[in-house]
Amino acid sequence: MSRYTGIIEAYRNRMPLAPGARAISLGEGRTPLIRLENLPRLEGVEAEIYVKFEGLNPTGSFKDRGMTVAVTQAVYEGSRAIICASTGNTSAAAAAYAARAGIKAFVLIPEGKIALGKLAQAVVHGATVVQIRGNFDDGMQLVKEVAETAPVAIVNSINPYRLQGQKTAAFEIVEALGRAPDFHCLPVGNAGNITAHWIGYSESAGLETAACAAYPDSWDFTGFGSVRKRPRMVGYQAAGSAPFLRGGPVKNPETVATAIRIGNPQSWDLAWKVHEESQGWFDELEDAEILATQRLLAETEGVFCEPASASSLAGALRDLKQCKIPAGSTVVCTLTGNGMKDPDVILKDGLTGLVQVDAERGAVERALLERLG
């Protein structure tokens, strides 16, 4: 039995990488596709709902899929350093894969708007962290300007190799189900991931897509088709950071879901092409809906995702209840990051539900029996 070594070697024949490019990998991919059993029944929806838990990648988010390919290509091209702007997850992945490759990582983060769990990852992996007095969109603009003269490779999702790695999640879903789902729901921030999934589903179906502009070079994927169907792609944003619902950039985005706190998505045009080709849609959710679904998923299914991730499931549940997604559909929701990335959201009101008793057997038993009913 061969040892699994990550998505590049698993799908090298479906990557536009040079044959001799050394894979910079941490064993990313092969994340579980979990069928929800309790939550749909409790919510009164009739659907086959799965969550693709990308929070079980090496650094705890889907960003690892894209970073392994972007860093592999950067090293192959001779880069000695990479740079990114980040709300947290990208910085964690970039720092880890740079450390793995033995190169430098520089990350720009917004002041006061990044979960400490994510920042800690960038720090411990040895990245140079630059905190700017501005938001993610300011950081992204600065990264593009700096890269024009500094000897660094950008590894944000404007790097087409990022999307090449992220498309592999769609491959895994098709392999697990034996088909494409009817609907695929994702959180949308910078919008690269919804584009990448559509590329992956298109390759799996051997079909053309206007999003192929994301390919680094001319790339013939028409021989890869194993299924003939693609899902409708649905993207959900936080109401305070919803440029796709506002028709243009949001100057000062605000949401508790920091991973999608992006007002000017870099994959704007490609995401709209995905919207059109898949006949999907974009929608928005209030922070309260997102947080309620995050807790509901954890309490009913044992899956703890970060707030931004929960927007995909929150939106899917709402659209099922409103019959926008028909009953009986097969729905996959991407959970982009692990809940341990941002535990402060859960603990902001303290340890609610904590029971304190004397260190006596009787006191403990009474506390248990009271709660068992």
Side-chain angles (χ1 to χ4, degrees), residues 36 39 51-53 185-188 236-238 256-260 285-298 303-318 333-339 345-346:
L36 302 187
L39 191 151
V51 292
K52 181 67 167 167
F53 193 16
C185 303
L186 300 97
V188 172
Y236 298 101
Q237 300 200 287
V256 70
T258 56
I260 54 175
L285 298 138
E286 297 294 336
D287 281 0
E289 295 177 88
I290 293 171
L291 294 178
T293 302
Q294 179 195 27
R295 189 174 289 273
L296 181 66
L297 178 64
V303 178
F304 183 28
C305 66
E306 69 173 331
S309 297
S311 63
S312 62
L313 180 58
L317 290 172
R318 188 174 69 188
C333 298
T334 295
L335 303 182
T336 46
N338 198 297
V345 171
I346 296 295

mmCIF file of all heavy atoms in Angstrom, residues 36 39 51-53 185-188 236-238 256-260 285-298 303-318 333-339 345-346:
data_model
loop_
_atom_site.group_PDB
_atom_site.id
_atom_site.type_symbol
_atom_site.label_atom_id
_atom_site.label_comp_id
_atom_site.label_asym_id
_atom_site.label_seq_id
_atom_site.Cartn_x
_atom_site.Cartn_y
_atom_site.Cartn_z
ATOM 1 N N LEU A 36 -24.591 14.626 7.055
ATOM 2 C CA LEU A 36 -25.265 15.068 8.268
ATOM 3 C C LEU A 36 -26.475 14.176 8.526
ATOM 4 O O LEU A 36 -27.279 13.940 7.627
ATOM 5 C CB LEU A 36 -25.683 16.532 8.151
ATOM 6 C CG LEU A 36 -24.547 17.526 7.886
ATOM 7 C CD1 LEU A 36 -25.071 18.956 7.968
ATOM 8 C CD2 LEU A 36 -23.380 17.327 8.843
ATOM 9 N N LEU A 39 -28.867 16.923 12.162
ATOM 10 C CA LEU A 39 -29.254 18.313 11.923
ATOM 11 C C LEU A 39 -30.395 18.460 10.911
ATOM 12 O O LEU A 39 -31.341 19.213 11.172
ATOM 13 C CB LEU A 39 -28.020 19.109 11.505
ATOM 14 C CG LEU A 39 -28.135 20.629 11.448
ATOM 15 C CD1 LEU A 39 -26.781 21.263 11.733
ATOM 16 C CD2 LEU A 39 -28.641 21.106 10.104
ATOM 17 N N VAL A 51 -21.093 17.718 4.463
ATOM 18 C CA VAL A 51 -20.141 18.799 4.672
ATOM 19 C C VAL A 51 -18.747 18.282 4.348
ATOM 20 O O VAL A 51 -18.345 17.203 4.782
ATOM 21 C CB VAL A 51 -20.188 19.374 6.109
ATOM 22 C CG1 VAL A 51 -21.498 20.100 6.346
ATOM 23 C CG2 VAL A 51 -19.976 18.297 7.171
ATOM 24 N N LYS A 52 -18.046 19.033 3.524
ATOM 25 C CA LYS A 52 -16.658 18.726 3.189
ATOM 26 C C LYS A 52 -15.798 19.499 4.174
ATOM 27 O O LYS A 52 -15.664 20.721 4.082
ATOM 28 C CB LYS A 52 -16.367 19.148 1.746
ATOM 29 C CG LYS A 52 -14.937 18.857 1.261
ATOM 30 C CD LYS A 52 -14.659 17.377 1.147
ATOM 31 C CE LYS A 52 -13.351 17.167 0.357
ATOM 32 N NZ LYS A 52 -12.857 15.771 0.484
ATOM 33 N N PHE A 53 -15.242 18.780 5.170
ATOM 34 C CA PHE A 53 -14.603 19.449 6.303
ATOM 35 C C PHE A 53 -13.132 19.744 6.001
ATOM 36 O O PHE A 53 -12.230 18.981 6.356
ATOM 37 C CB PHE A 53 -14.735 18.592 7.561
ATOM 38 C CG PHE A 53 -14.393 19.327 8.834
ATOM 39 C CD1 PHE A 53 -14.325 20.705 8.887
ATOM 40 C CD2 PHE A 53 -14.155 18.620 10.008
ATOM 41 C CE1 PHE A 53 -14.019 21.381 10.057
ATOM 42 C CE2 PHE A 53 -13.850 19.278 11.189
ATOM 43 C CZ PHE A 53 -13.774 20.660 11.214
ATOM 44 N N CYS A 185 -22.513 24.459 -1.974
ATOM 45 C CA CYS A 185 -22.617 25.730 -1.258
ATOM 46 C C CYS A 185 -21.291 26.065 -0.584
ATOM 47 O O CYS A 185 -20.690 25.207 0.075
ATOM 48 C CB CYS A 185 -23.725 25.663 -0.215
ATOM 49 S SG CYS A 185 -25.351 25.238 -0.899
ATOM 50 N N LEU A 186 -20.849 27.304 -0.747
ATOM 51 C CA LEU A 186 -19.566 27.730 -0.191
ATOM 52 C C LEU A 186 -19.648 29.113 0.437
ATOM 53 O O LEU A 186 -20.435 29.957 -0.008
ATOM 54 C CB LEU A 186 -18.491 27.805 -1.283
ATOM 55 C CG LEU A 186 -18.130 26.572 -2.053
ATOM 56 C CD1 LEU A 186 -18.868 26.536 -3.370
ATOM 57 C CD2 LEU A 186 -16.623 26.524 -2.316
ATOM 58 N N PRO A 187 -18.807 29.374 1.445
ATOM 59 C CA PRO A 187 -18.620 30.757 1.895
ATOM 60 C C PRO A 187 -17.876 31.515 0.808
ATOM 61 O O PRO A 187 -17.041 30.930 0.096
ATOM 62 C CB PRO A 187 -17.735 30.611 3.139
ATOM 63 C CG PRO A 187 -17.704 29.145 3.460
ATOM 64 C CD PRO A 187 -17.973 28.421 2.185
ATOM 65 N N VAL A 188 -18.137 32.797 0.655
ATOM 66 C CA VAL A 188 -17.451 33.588 -0.365
ATOM 67 C C VAL A 188 -16.827 34.821 0.270
ATOM 68 O O VAL A 188 -17.515 35.648 0.869
ATOM 69 C CB VAL A 188 -18.413 34.000 -1.496
ATOM 70 C CG1 VAL A 188 -17.730 34.981 -2.452
ATOM 71 C CG2 VAL A 188 -18.879 32.777 -2.280
ATOM 72 N N TYR A 236 -22.293 32.174 -0.348
ATOM 73 C CA TYR A 236 -22.905 32.964 0.729
ATOM 74 C C TYR A 236 -21.876 33.909 1.346
ATOM 75 O O TYR A 236 -20.737 33.526 1.614
ATOM 76 C CB TYR A 236 -23.469 32.041 1.809
ATOM 77 C CG TYR A 236 -24.568 31.137 1.296
ATOM 78 C CD1 TYR A 236 -24.306 29.807 0.990
ATOM 79 C CD2 TYR A 236 -25.858 31.618 1.087
ATOM 80 C CE1 TYR A 236 -25.307 28.968 0.512
ATOM 81 C CE2 TYR A 236 -26.861 30.790 0.600
ATOM 82 C CZ TYR A 236 -26.576 29.462 0.320
ATOM 83 O OH TYR A 236 -27.563 28.637 -0.176
ATOM 84 N N GLN A 237 -22.314 35.142 1.557
ATOM 85 C CA GLN A 237 -21.476 36.152 2.178
ATOM 86 C C GLN A 237 -22.118 36.642 3.468
ATOM 87 O O GLN A 237 -23.329 36.484 3.673
ATOM 88 C CB GLN A 237 -21.288 37.332 1.222
ATOM 89 C CG GLN A 237 -20.619 36.937 -0.093
ATOM 90 C CD GLN A 237 -20.006 38.125 -0.797
ATOM 91 O OE1 GLN A 237 -20.711 38.953 -1.347
ATOM 92 N NE2 GLN A 237 -18.677 38.207 -0.781
ATOM 93 N N ALA A 238 -21.293 37.243 4.321
ATOM 94 C CA ALA A 238 -21.824 37.895 5.514
ATOM 95 C C ALA A 238 -22.439 39.222 5.096
ATOM 96 O O ALA A 238 -21.905 39.919 4.226
ATOM 97 C CB ALA A 238 -20.720 38.113 6.538
ATOM 98 N N VAL A 256 -18.286 39.151 11.974
ATOM 99 C CA VAL A 256 -17.598 38.284 12.920
ATOM 100 C C VAL A 256 -16.894 37.147 12.199
ATOM 101 O O VAL A 256 -15.939 36.567 12.723
ATOM 102 C CB VAL A 256 -18.610 37.730 13.960
ATOM 103 C CG1 VAL A 256 -19.566 36.722 13.310
ATOM 104 C CG2 VAL A 256 -17.898 37.099 15.145
ATOM 105 N N ALA A 257 -17.330 36.857 10.972
ATOM 106 C CA ALA A 257 -16.716 35.800 10.167
ATOM 107 C C ALA A 257 -15.496 36.379 9.454
ATOM 108 O O ALA A 257 -15.527 36.715 8.269
ATOM 109 C CB ALA A 257 -17.728 35.248 9.163
ATOM 110 N N THR A 258 -14.388 36.499 10.186
ATOM 111 C CA THR A 258 -13.229 37.243 9.695
ATOM 112 C C THR A 258 -12.643 36.660 8.406
ATOM 113 O O THR A 258 -12.046 37.396 7.615
ATOM 114 C CB THR A 258 -12.127 37.301 10.764
ATOM 115 O OG1 THR A 258 -11.790 35.962 11.172
ATOM 116 C CG2 THR A 258 -12.609 38.092 11.974
ATOM 117 N N ALA A 259 -12.800 35.361 8.182
ATOM 118 C CA ALA A 259 -12.214 34.740 6.987
ATOM 119 C C ALA A 259 -12.856 35.246 5.697
ATOM 120 O O ALA A 259 -12.249 35.147 4.627
ATOM 121 C CB ALA A 259 -12.324 33.220 7.068
ATOM 122 N N ILE A 260 -14.081 35.770 5.781
ATOM 123 C CA ILE A 260 -14.736 36.315 4.585
ATOM 124 C C ILE A 260 -14.980 37.819 4.729
ATOM 125 O O ILE A 260 -15.848 38.385 4.074
ATOM 126 C CB ILE A 260 -16.048 35.571 4.252
ATOM 127 C CG1 ILE A 260 -17.001 35.536 5.455
ATOM 128 C CG2 ILE A 260 -15.742 34.162 3.768
ATOM 129 C CD1 ILE A 260 -18.357 34.922 5.128
ATOM 130 N N LEU A 285 -25.969 36.499 4.714
ATOM 131 C CA LEU A 285 -26.472 36.064 6.013
ATOM 132 C C LEU A 285 -26.017 37.035 7.085
ATOM 133 O O LEU A 285 -24.909 37.573 7.024
ATOM 134 C CB LEU A 285 -25.942 34.666 6.354
ATOM 135 C CG LEU A 285 -26.353 33.548 5.402
ATOM 136 C CD1 LEU A 285 -25.186 32.634 5.129
ATOM 137 C CD2 LEU A 285 -27.511 32.757 5.985
ATOM 138 N N GLU A 286 -26.872 37.232 8.067
ATOM 139 C CA GLU A 286 -26.475 38.046 9.212
ATOM 140 C C GLU A 286 -25.517 37.245 10.092
ATOM 141 O O GLU A 286 -25.548 36.007 10.119
ATOM 142 C CB GLU A 286 -27.711 38.444 10.025
ATOM 143 C CG GLU A 286 -28.697 39.318 9.276
ATOM 144 C CD GLU A 286 -28.150 40.687 8.946
ATOM 145 O OE1 GLU A 286 -27.207 41.143 9.657
ATOM 146 O OE2 GLU A 286 -28.661 41.311 7.994
ATOM 147 N N ASP A 287 -24.688 37.960 10.832
ATOM 148 C CA ASP A 287 -23.734 37.291 11.713
ATOM 149 C C ASP A 287 -24.428 36.348 12.696
ATOM 150 O O ASP A 287 -23.922 35.263 13.001
ATOM 151 C CB ASP A 287 -22.918 38.323 12.493
ATOM 152 C CG ASP A 287 -21.787 38.926 11.667
ATOM 153 O OD1 ASP A 287 -21.644 38.535 10.486
ATOM 154 O OD2 ASP A 287 -21.046 39.773 12.205
ATOM 155 N N ALA A 288 -25.591 36.762 13.186
ATOM 156 C CA ALA A 288 -26.310 35.928 14.160
ATOM 157 C C ALA A 288 -26.695 34.580 13.556
ATOM 158 O O ALA A 288 -26.629 33.541 14.228
ATOM 159 C CB ALA A 288 -27.554 36.661 14.650
ATOM 160 N N GLU A 289 -27.097 34.561 12.277
ATOM 161 C CA GLU A 289 -27.442 33.305 11.602
ATOM 162 C C GLU A 289 -26.216 32.410 11.470
ATOM 163 O O GLU A 289 -26.284 31.191 11.656
ATOM 164 C CB GLU A 289 -27.993 33.591 10.205
ATOM 165 C CG GLU A 289 -29.303 34.336 10.135
ATOM 166 C CD GLU A 289 -29.694 34.626 8.695
ATOM 167 O OE1 GLU A 289 -30.349 33.761 8.085
ATOM 168 O OE2 GLU A 289 -29.342 35.696 8.173
ATOM 169 N N ILE A 290 -25.092 33.025 11.131
ATOM 170 C CA ILE A 290 -23.853 32.273 10.943
ATOM 171 C C ILE A 290 -23.416 31.625 12.254
ATOM 172 O O ILE A 290 -23.095 30.432 12.300
ATOM 173 C CB ILE A 290 -22.749 33.203 10.396
ATOM 174 C CG1 ILE A 290 -23.109 33.664 8.975
ATOM 175 C CG2 ILE A 290 -21.397 32.514 10.416
ATOM 176 C CD1 ILE A 290 -22.192 34.751 8.431
ATOM 177 N N LEU A 291 -23.415 32.401 13.331
ATOM 178 C CA LEU A 291 -22.966 31.883 14.623
ATOM 179 C C LEU A 291 -23.918 30.823 15.171
ATOM 180 O O LEU A 291 -23.486 29.841 15.780
ATOM 181 C CB LEU A 291 -22.810 33.020 15.626
ATOM 182 C CG LEU A 291 -21.703 34.031 15.298
ATOM 183 C CD1 LEU A 291 -21.673 35.137 16.352
ATOM 184 C CD2 LEU A 291 -20.346 33.342 15.224
ATOM 185 N N ALA A 292 -25.213 31.000 14.949
ATOM 186 C CA ALA A 292 -26.180 30.012 15.413
ATOM 187 C C ALA A 292 -25.971 28.674 14.704
ATOM 188 O O ALA A 292 -26.062 27.603 15.321
ATOM 189 C CB ALA A 292 -27.607 30.515 15.182
ATOM 190 N N THR A 293 -25.661 28.717 13.418
ATOM 191 C CA THR A 293 -25.441 27.484 12.664
ATOM 192 C C THR A 293 -24.117 26.840 13.051
ATOM 193 O O THR A 293 -24.010 25.604 13.106
ATOM 194 C CB THR A 293 -25.481 27.758 11.152
ATOM 195 O OG1 THR A 293 -26.746 28.348 10.823
ATOM 196 C CG2 THR A 293 -25.305 26.482 10.358
ATOM 197 N N GLN A 294 -23.101 27.643 13.319
ATOM 198 C CA GLN A 294 -21.829 27.100 13.785
ATOM 199 C C GLN A 294 -22.028 26.266 15.047
ATOM 200 O O GLN A 294 -21.545 25.135 15.156
ATOM 201 C CB GLN A 294 -20.840 28.235 14.077
ATOM 202 C CG GLN A 294 -19.497 27.742 14.604
ATOM 203 C CD GLN A 294 -18.656 28.849 15.225
ATOM 204 O OE1 GLN A 294 -19.213 29.850 15.730
ATOM 205 N NE2 GLN A 294 -17.354 28.697 15.211
ATOM 206 N N ARG A 295 -22.784 26.808 15.995
ATOM 207 C CA ARG A 295 -23.029 26.098 17.247
ATOM 208 C C ARG A 295 -23.946 24.893 17.035
ATOM 209 O O ARG A 295 -23.729 23.825 17.604
ATOM 210 C CB ARG A 295 -23.629 27.055 18.276
ATOM 211 C CG ARG A 295 -23.722 26.464 19.682
ATOM 212 C CD ARG A 295 -24.195 27.504 20.675
ATOM 213 N NE ARG A 295 -23.194 28.509 20.948
ATOM 214 C CZ ARG A 295 -22.253 28.383 21.876
ATOM 215 N NH1 ARG A 295 -22.182 27.276 22.605
ATOM 216 N NH2 ARG A 295 -21.387 29.355 22.091
ATOM 217 N N LEU A 296 -24.966 25.048 16.191
ATOM 218 C CA LEU A 296 -25.896 23.955 15.924
ATOM 219 C C LEU A 296 -25.171 22.760 15.307
ATOM 220 O O LEU A 296 -25.415 21.609 15.688
ATOM 221 C CB LEU A 296 -27.003 24.441 14.984
ATOM 222 C CG LEU A 296 -28.080 23.432 14.609
ATOM 223 C CD1 LEU A 296 -28.911 23.039 15.832
ATOM 224 C CD2 LEU A 296 -28.988 24.011 13.510
ATOM 225 N N LEU A 297 -24.289 23.013 14.366
ATOM 226 C CA LEU A 297 -23.536 21.931 13.730
ATOM 227 C C LEU A 297 -22.665 21.205 14.742
ATOM 228 O O LEU A 297 -22.588 19.968 14.740
ATOM 229 C CB LEU A 297 -22.671 22.505 12.599
ATOM 230 C CG LEU A 297 -21.774 21.517 11.861
ATOM 231 C CD1 LEU A 297 -22.589 20.463 11.132
ATOM 232 C CD2 LEU A 297 -20.851 22.254 10.881
ATOM 233 N N ALA A 298 -22.025 21.957 15.609
ATOM 234 C CA ALA A 298 -21.162 21.349 16.620
ATOM 235 C C ALA A 298 -21.964 20.519 17.619
ATOM 236 O O ALA A 298 -21.570 19.410 17.996
ATOM 237 C CB ALA A 298 -20.370 22.430 17.351
ATOM 238 N N VAL A 303 -19.186 18.481 14.666
ATOM 239 C CA VAL A 303 -18.258 19.110 13.722
ATOM 240 C C VAL A 303 -18.113 20.585 14.104
ATOM 241 O O VAL A 303 -19.083 21.337 14.066
ATOM 242 C CB VAL A 303 -18.759 18.983 12.268
ATOM 243 C CG1 VAL A 303 -17.799 19.697 11.316
ATOM 244 C CG2 VAL A 303 -18.916 17.521 11.876
ATOM 245 N N PHE A 304 -16.900 20.986 14.446
ATOM 246 C CA PHE A 304 -16.627 22.343 14.908
ATOM 247 C C PHE A 304 -15.869 23.106 13.817
ATOM 248 O O PHE A 304 -14.691 22.865 13.586
ATOM 249 C CB PHE A 304 -15.813 22.291 16.204
ATOM 250 C CG PHE A 304 -15.509 23.635 16.831
ATOM 251 C CD1 PHE A 304 -16.350 24.729 16.661
ATOM 252 C CD2 PHE A 304 -14.379 23.786 17.622
ATOM 253 C CE1 PHE A 304 -16.066 25.951 17.248
ATOM 254 C CE2 PHE A 304 -14.079 25.005 18.227
ATOM 255 C CZ PHE A 304 -14.927 26.085 18.036
ATOM 256 N N CYS A 305 -16.570 24.001 13.153
ATOM 257 C CA CYS A 305 -15.947 24.786 12.077
ATOM 258 C C CYS A 305 -15.836 26.243 12.511
ATOM 259 O O CYS A 305 -16.486 26.680 13.457
ATOM 260 C CB CYS A 305 -16.767 24.682 10.796
ATOM 261 S SG CYS A 305 -18.425 25.431 10.898
ATOM 262 N N GLU A 306 -15.008 27.003 11.797
ATOM 263 C CA GLU A 306 -14.902 28.426 12.114
ATOM 264 C C GLU A 306 -16.136 29.164 11.580
ATOM 265 O O GLU A 306 -16.860 28.640 10.721
ATOM 266 C CB GLU A 306 -13.612 29.013 11.552
ATOM 267 C CG GLU A 306 -13.529 29.110 10.053
ATOM 268 C CD GLU A 306 -12.274 29.870 9.611
ATOM 269 O OE1 GLU A 306 -11.803 30.741 10.370
ATOM 270 O OE2 GLU A 306 -11.779 29.588 8.504
ATOM 271 N N PRO A 307 -16.410 30.379 12.070
ATOM 272 C CA PRO A 307 -17.646 31.070 11.697
ATOM 273 C C PRO A 307 -17.889 31.192 10.201
ATOM 274 O O PRO A 307 -18.994 30.917 9.719
ATOM 275 C CB PRO A 307 -17.486 32.440 12.359
ATOM 276 C CG PRO A 307 -16.651 32.172 13.568
ATOM 277 C CD PRO A 307 -15.671 31.120 13.130
ATOM 278 N N ALA A 308 -16.881 31.600 9.436
ATOM 279 C CA ALA A 308 -17.083 31.777 7.994
ATOM 280 C C ALA A 308 -17.575 30.495 7.342
ATOM 281 O O ALA A 308 -18.423 30.520 6.446
ATOM 282 C CB ALA A 308 -15.787 32.239 7.330
ATOM 283 N N SER A 309 -17.050 29.363 7.795
ATOM 284 C CA SER A 309 -17.448 28.068 7.238
ATOM 285 C C SER A 309 -18.941 27.829 7.390
ATOM 286 O O SER A 309 -19.594 27.273 6.502
ATOM 287 C CB SER A 309 -16.706 26.935 7.945
ATOM 288 O OG SER A 309 -15.319 27.014 7.758
ATOM 289 N N ALA A 310 -19.478 28.223 8.533
ATOM 290 C CA ALA A 310 -20.879 27.944 8.842
ATOM 291 C C ALA A 310 -21.836 28.687 7.909
ATOM 292 O O ALA A 310 -23.007 28.311 7.799
ATOM 293 C CB ALA A 310 -21.180 28.319 10.292
ATOM 294 N N SER A 311 -21.359 29.705 7.220
ATOM 295 C CA SER A 311 -22.243 30.439 6.309
ATOM 296 C C SER A 311 -22.739 29.544 5.178
ATOM 297 O O SER A 311 -23.871 29.701 4.710
ATOM 298 C CB SER A 311 -21.537 31.672 5.741
ATOM 299 O OG SER A 311 -20.422 31.308 4.956
ATOM 300 N N SER A 312 -21.931 28.591 4.731
ATOM 301 C CA SER A 312 -22.363 27.708 3.644
ATOM 302 C C SER A 312 -23.536 26.851 4.087
ATOM 303 O O SER A 312 -24.523 26.688 3.351
ATOM 304 C CB SER A 312 -21.205 26.831 3.168
ATOM 305 O OG SER A 312 -20.738 25.980 4.197
ATOM 306 N N LEU A 313 -23.459 26.300 5.285
ATOM 307 C CA LEU A 313 -24.536 25.451 5.798
ATOM 308 C C LEU A 313 -25.755 26.284 6.186
ATOM 309 O O LEU A 313 -26.900 25.887 5.919
ATOM 310 C CB LEU A 313 -24.043 24.638 6.995
ATOM 311 C CG LEU A 313 -25.061 23.699 7.642
ATOM 312 C CD1 LEU A 313 -25.613 22.696 6.638
ATOM 313 C CD2 LEU A 313 -24.434 22.981 8.834
ATOM 314 N N ALA A 314 -25.531 27.440 6.804
ATOM 315 C CA ALA A 314 -26.645 28.316 7.184
ATOM 316 C C ALA A 314 -27.446 28.717 5.957
ATOM 317 O O ALA A 314 -28.690 28.698 5.956
ATOM 318 C CB ALA A 314 -26.120 29.554 7.907
ATOM 319 N N GLY A 315 -26.754 29.062 4.894
ATOM 320 C CA GLY A 315 -27.441 29.448 3.668
ATOM 321 C C GLY A 315 -28.175 28.288 3.029
ATOM 322 O O GLY A 315 -29.311 28.440 2.552
ATOM 323 N N ALA A 316 -27.549 27.111 3.017
ATOM 324 C CA ALA A 316 -28.191 25.929 2.435
ATOM 325 C C ALA A 316 -29.466 25.570 3.186
ATOM 326 O O ALA A 316 -30.501 25.265 2.567
ATOM 327 C CB ALA A 316 -27.220 24.753 2.441
ATOM 328 N N LEU A 317 -29.423 25.615 4.509
ATOM 329 C CA LEU A 317 -30.610 25.300 5.308
ATOM 330 C C LEU A 317 -31.739 26.280 5.019
ATOM 331 O O LEU A 317 -32.904 25.894 4.864
ATOM 332 C CB LEU A 317 -30.264 25.306 6.801
ATOM 333 C CG LEU A 317 -29.368 24.164 7.297
ATOM 334 C CD1 LEU A 317 -28.958 24.411 8.744
ATOM 335 C CD2 LEU A 317 -30.083 22.818 7.169
ATOM 336 N N ARG A 318 -31.402 27.548 4.953
ATOM 337 C CA ARG A 318 -32.429 28.562 4.669
ATOM 338 C C ARG A 318 -33.033 28.359 3.287
ATOM 339 O O ARG A 318 -34.255 28.428 3.107
ATOM 340 C CB ARG A 318 -31.819 29.958 4.786
ATOM 341 C CG ARG A 318 -32.872 31.068 4.683
ATOM 342 C CD ARG A 318 -32.262 32.421 4.956
ATOM 343 N NE ARG A 318 -31.362 32.824 3.883
ATOM 344 C CZ ARG A 318 -30.567 33.905 3.944
ATOM 345 N NH1 ARG A 318 -30.565 34.660 5.030
ATOM 346 N NH2 ARG A 318 -29.785 34.209 2.939
ATOM 347 N N CYS A 333 -21.802 21.170 1.336
ATOM 348 C CA CYS A 333 -21.416 22.464 1.900
ATOM 349 C C CYS A 333 -19.937 22.405 2.280
ATOM 350 O O CYS A 333 -19.525 21.519 3.035
ATOM 351 C CB CYS A 333 -22.239 22.785 3.144
ATOM 352 S SG CYS A 333 -24.015 22.931 2.861
ATOM 353 N N THR A 334 -19.162 23.318 1.768
ATOM 354 C CA THR A 334 -17.756 23.387 2.133
ATOM 355 C C THR A 334 -17.608 24.078 3.484
ATOM 356 O O THR A 334 -18.098 25.191 3.673
ATOM 357 C CB THR A 334 -16.945 24.154 1.080
ATOM 358 O OG1 THR A 334 -16.972 23.431 -0.153
ATOM 359 C CG2 THR A 334 -15.493 24.310 1.515
ATOM 360 N N LEU A 335 -16.935 23.407 4.403
ATOM 361 C CA LEU A 335 -16.537 24.017 5.671
ATOM 362 C C LEU A 335 -15.063 24.365 5.524
ATOM 363 O O LEU A 335 -14.198 23.493 5.577
ATOM 364 C CB LEU A 335 -16.758 23.049 6.838
ATOM 365 C CG LEU A 335 -18.183 22.513 7.019
ATOM 366 C CD1 LEU A 335 -18.257 21.604 8.244
ATOM 367 C CD2 LEU A 335 -19.190 23.653 7.150
ATOM 368 N N THR A 336 -14.775 25.631 5.317
ATOM 369 C CA THR A 336 -13.453 26.048 4.890
ATOM 370 C C THR A 336 -12.385 25.970 5.970
ATOM 371 O O THR A 336 -11.205 25.830 5.657
ATOM 372 C CB THR A 336 -13.511 27.479 4.354
ATOM 373 O OG1 THR A 336 -14.275 28.291 5.263
ATOM 374 C CG2 THR A 336 -14.173 27.520 2.994
ATOM 375 N N GLY A 337 -12.764 26.089 7.263
ATOM 376 C CA GLY A 337 -11.747 26.124 8.307
ATOM 377 C C GLY A 337 -12.207 25.499 9.608
ATOM 378 O O GLY A 337 -13.399 25.341 9.873
ATOM 379 N N ASN A 338 -11.246 25.152 10.418
ATOM 380 C CA ASN A 338 -11.486 24.511 11.713
ATOM 381 C C ASN A 338 -11.904 25.528 12.771
ATOM 382 O O ASN A 338 -11.393 26.647 12.803
ATOM 383 C CB ASN A 338 -10.199 23.806 12.155
ATOM 384 C CG ASN A 338 -10.434 22.771 13.230
ATOM 385 O OD1 ASN A 338 -10.857 23.098 14.325
ATOM 386 N ND2 ASN A 338 -10.151 21.515 12.910
ATOM 387 N N GLY A 339 -12.815 25.120 13.645
ATOM 388 C CA GLY A 339 -13.281 26.005 14.701
ATOM 389 C C GLY A 339 -12.196 26.437 15.662
ATOM 390 O O GLY A 339 -12.298 27.507 16.288
ATOM 391 N N VAL A 345 -14.581 33.457 19.482
ATOM 392 C CA VAL A 345 -15.976 33.732 19.145
ATOM 393 C C VAL A 345 -16.907 32.924 20.037
ATOM 394 O O VAL A 345 -17.932 33.416 20.504
ATOM 395 C CB VAL A 345 -16.240 33.412 17.652
ATOM 396 C CG1 VAL A 345 -17.729 33.493 17.345
ATOM 397 C CG2 VAL A 345 -15.470 34.372 16.764
ATOM 398 N N ILE A 346 -16.545 31.675 20.282
ATOM 399 C CA ILE A 346 -17.358 30.802 21.118
ATOM 400 C C ILE A 346 -17.259 31.197 22.590
ATOM 401 O O ILE A 346 -18.235 31.121 23.349
ATOM 402 C CB ILE A 346 -16.927 29.329 20.951
ATOM 403 C CG1 ILE A 346 -17.179 28.860 19.510
ATOM 404 C CG2 ILE A 346 -17.654 28.417 21.940
ATOM 405 C CD1 ILE A 346 -18.629 28.827 19.103
#
